[in-house]
Amino acid sequence: MTQQDGNVAMITGAARGIGLATAKRFLAEGWHVVMIDRLGDLLQKEARALGSNRAHPIVCDVSVPDQVSSAVTETLETLGRIDALVNNAGIAEFAPLLETSFETWTEVMATNLNGPFLMTQAVAPHMVAAGRGGHLVNVSSAAGLVALPWHAAYSASKYGLRGLSEVLRFDLARHDIGVSVVVP
């Protein structure tokens, strides 16, 4: 996407790691950045450290539909638009399948696969209605391309995210909304 004055990016998992680095890059390019993370104290600290009035932290667990809806509503009320969504939030629990509890499986799927689904369902209709196009970025993993030992839940979630992204690419192309999968 080309930068236009006032562009807004939402980035999940933005309190650390890839999400924080991505937020810094968007800010350097002149974007407003809505930093989404469930780690509220760390998120607030990192947003303040950026020293930019274009960094907008919102505490949100992407696996909770009401929190996702509230975060998108707050963003639209505050900034008026969303031009890019980076679904980066993710958790990793590594164990053989036979040692993976259903609770762990559910938590990994809720964040790594349901989170991008919920965020996309909340954001994409606004991109479509605005008619400016946009871009969705889903952060997967090498474990979403090649199955690795001890990665049952994580690999399944990242393979699923890759599949979801491929479908979205077809579904959203007619609205000039691009979809990318990043595989760190």
Side-chain angles (χ1 to χ4, degrees):
M1 289 186 62
T2 57
Q3 165 57 19
Q4 296 176 359
D5 189 37
N7 276 9
V8 176
M10 291 187 86
I11 302 170
T12 68
R16 60 185 174 184
I18 293 170
L20 181 57
T22 304
K24 289 177 180 178
R25 180 58 189 251
F26 271 92
L27 287 167
E29 296 291 327
W31 290 62
H32 285 272
V33 177
V34 178
M35 300 171 67
I36 303 287
D37 208 293
R38 66 181 179 179
L39 303 174
D41 291 342
L42 182 60
L43 178 66
Q44 297 296 337
K45 176 186 167 212
E46 293 298 342
R48 279 191 307 274
L50 293 171
S52 173
N53 64 352
R54 289 180 287 108
H56 310 275
I58 299 177
V59 178
C60 171
D61 182 333
V62 298
S63 70
V64 180
D66 290 344
Q67 290 185 30
V68 168
S69 178
S70 293
V72 171
T73 297
E74 181 179 338
T75 298
L76 293 169
E77 287 174 353
T78 303
L79 299 169
R81 62 193 285 172
I82 301 169
D83 302 287
L85 170 63
V86 179
N87 285 309
N88 170 69
I91 57 173
E93 297 288 340
F94 302 120
L97 180 66
L98 298 180
E99 296 173 21
T100 301
S101 69
F102 181 69
E103 291 77 20
T104 296
W105 177 272
T106 302
E107 181 184 19
V108 171
M109 292 299 165
T111 299
N112 297 2
L113 189 54
N114 296 354
F117 166 79
L118 291 169
M119 290 297 301
T120 300
Q121 273 213 320
V123 170
H126 298 286
M127 289 180 171
V128 170
R132 291 185 301 270
H135 207 91
L136 303 176
V137 179
N138 290 324
V139 179
S140 184
S141 167
L145 298 175
V146 178
L148 301 170
W150 294 63
H151 284 64
Y154 186 74
S155 281
S157 70
K158 294 302 185 172
Y159 269 88
L161 184 57
R162 195 176 99 219
L164 173 63
S165 301
E166 290 181 16
V167 170
L168 287 171
R169 187 174 298 122
F170 293 115
D171 289 352
L172 298 174
R174 70 178 186 262
H175 302 290
D176 198 28
I177 299 171
V179 178
S180 299
V181 178
V182 176
V183 182

